[in-house]
Every structure is written in C-alpha cells, then in structure tokens.
Amino acid sequence: MPGTMMTIDGFPIPVDVAGPENGSVVVVLATAHHAPSAYAAVCERLHTASLRTIVIGADPRLTPKSVIGILDSLGVQCGVVMGDRTGADNAWELAAMRPDRFTGLVVLDRGHPRAPDLAGVIRDERCPPVEVNTTALVSSRAAAEVAKASQRYVYGEHRLVVLPGRRSVQEFTAQLAMEIVLRASTW
C-alpha cells in the first residue's frame, strides 16, 4: 500500500506498507534524500521471510510521536524498528522510550544519541538507554567508533556489524535483511 499519510502533527509523510498481512512488523525509518522505494530490495527479502514492512519516508519534522501516530492509524501494536542514518535518530528514541511497542532495533551508520560522535558532539543527552536487543551496522571506521561507544546505552544484546569495504547494493541488502530477520525472530 504505497501512499502518503497525514501525521498527527499535520504534515503529509510517504508511507509504504507491504508484505504478508499477518506477518510480524518491521518499521523502516528512511534516511534523508531516500524515498521509501529505495528500501524495496530489502523489503522484498523481508517479505520472503514472512515479515510485513512499513517504510516511513524521511522528513525533518518527523518525531517519535509522529511515528507512533502512524503506527496507531495502521493498527500496529509492536514490531522491530530499523533506522537508516538520519532515520536512526528517531529509531533510537523510539526503542528507548517505547519498549512496549518495539521488540528490537537495527540502525545503520548511527550511534545512540547520547554517544558522542568523533567530534565529541552529543545529539541528545536526554535520550534514555535502549532495553531491547540492538544491531548497529556500520560502513566506516568513524561510524564503528560511535557504535562501540553506544554499547553503554544498550541494556539488551548489542551487536556490531562492520560492513566490509564499499557498500554494494547486493551485499548491503542481504546483510541488512539478515540482521532485521535476526532481530524479528528473537522476541
């Protein structure tokens, strides 16, 4: 069901819902400058694994409260949340503040908001620790360092996956889908 949905904050956001009707849910929070369709190959693999996907487009106005409103309007009670770079900022916060709604977290190239980046910048010093099992996939040494520093803010299992070399679409898609399936099957 590709389309646009109005958020509780009053702005439209692209949302694509697909996959088995009764499958466990994976919420994908896109990164800036990527349409929900950019995640089609990953979603296709997740559908093969009997998972339902909800891909929410990027928008700087999107908040965790907005995401919960979208999920409520779709009748989704719980699932795994995956955030790609800028989308991971909301994913971390959702997993930290709503463990009743999210059973696992997968993030790409983004550490916990309280973990300082290599320049020492902390994005959100108030973000609580995450109590769900978390996987961080990283594609650079800098992202790996921030992901390692994030471990102290993860009270569940913390898995760090370093993607070798350049991210090829095929390798990246397969690795990301596998990590999401792992998180979806461990709750």
Side-chain angles (χ1 to χ4, degrees):
M1 177 182 99
T4 299
M5 193 169 249
M6 190 64 72
T7 67
I8 58 173
D9 300 319
F11 59 89
I13 193 86
V15 177
D16 288 352
V17 180
E21 198 67 36
N22 295 324
S24 296
V25 173
V26 176
V27 178
V28 177
L29 302 176
T31 190
H33 311 296
H34 279 100
S37 61
Y39 300 91
V42 171
C43 290
E44 194 174 301
R45 287 174 181 260
L46 296 176
H47 301 157
T48 300
S50 299
L51 297 172
R52 185 161 184 76
T53 57
I54 300 171
V55 182
I56 301 174
D59 188 298
R61 300 169 291 183
L62 190 69
T63 65
K65 185 177 176 185
S66 304
V67 173
I68 295 296
I70 291 167
L71 297 179
D72 286 348
S73 71
L74 294 170
V76 173
Q77 294 303 308
C78 68
V80 170
V81 62
M82 189 286 287
D84 184 1
R85 292 165 278 188
T86 57
D89 292 338
N90 279 329
W92 277 107
E93 193 169 333
L94 284 161
M97 299 182 82
R98 296 303 306 262
D100 60 316
R101 299 289 294 260
F102 298 99
T103 57
L105 171 65
V106 177
V107 293
L108 298 170
D109 285 332
R110 194 65 121 216
H112 188 281
R114 282 172 59 184
D117 65 17
L118 291 184
V121 175
I122 296 172
R123 288 187 320 281
D124 182 358
E125 62 186 31
R126 296 173 304 189
C127 186
V130 171
E131 296 183 24
V132 298
N133 293 338
T134 301
T135 300
L137 289 97
V138 297
S139 62
S140 70
R141 180 175 293 169
E145 291 305 314
V146 176
K148 285 178 191 172
S150 297
Q151 187 169 0
R152 68 185 291 197
Y153 302 108
V154 177
Y155 295 168
E157 177 194 7
H158 181 265
R159 181 172 158 78
L160 175 62
V161 177
V162 178
L163 299 169
R166 293 187 53 167
R167 294 202 296 199
S168 76
V169 173
Q170 293 79 16
E171 289 177 0
F172 173 71
T173 297
Q175 185 72 46
L176 175 58
M178 183 186 80
E179 296 300 333
I180 293 170
V181 169
L182 172 70
R183 288 293 165 226
S185 66
T186 57
W187 65 282

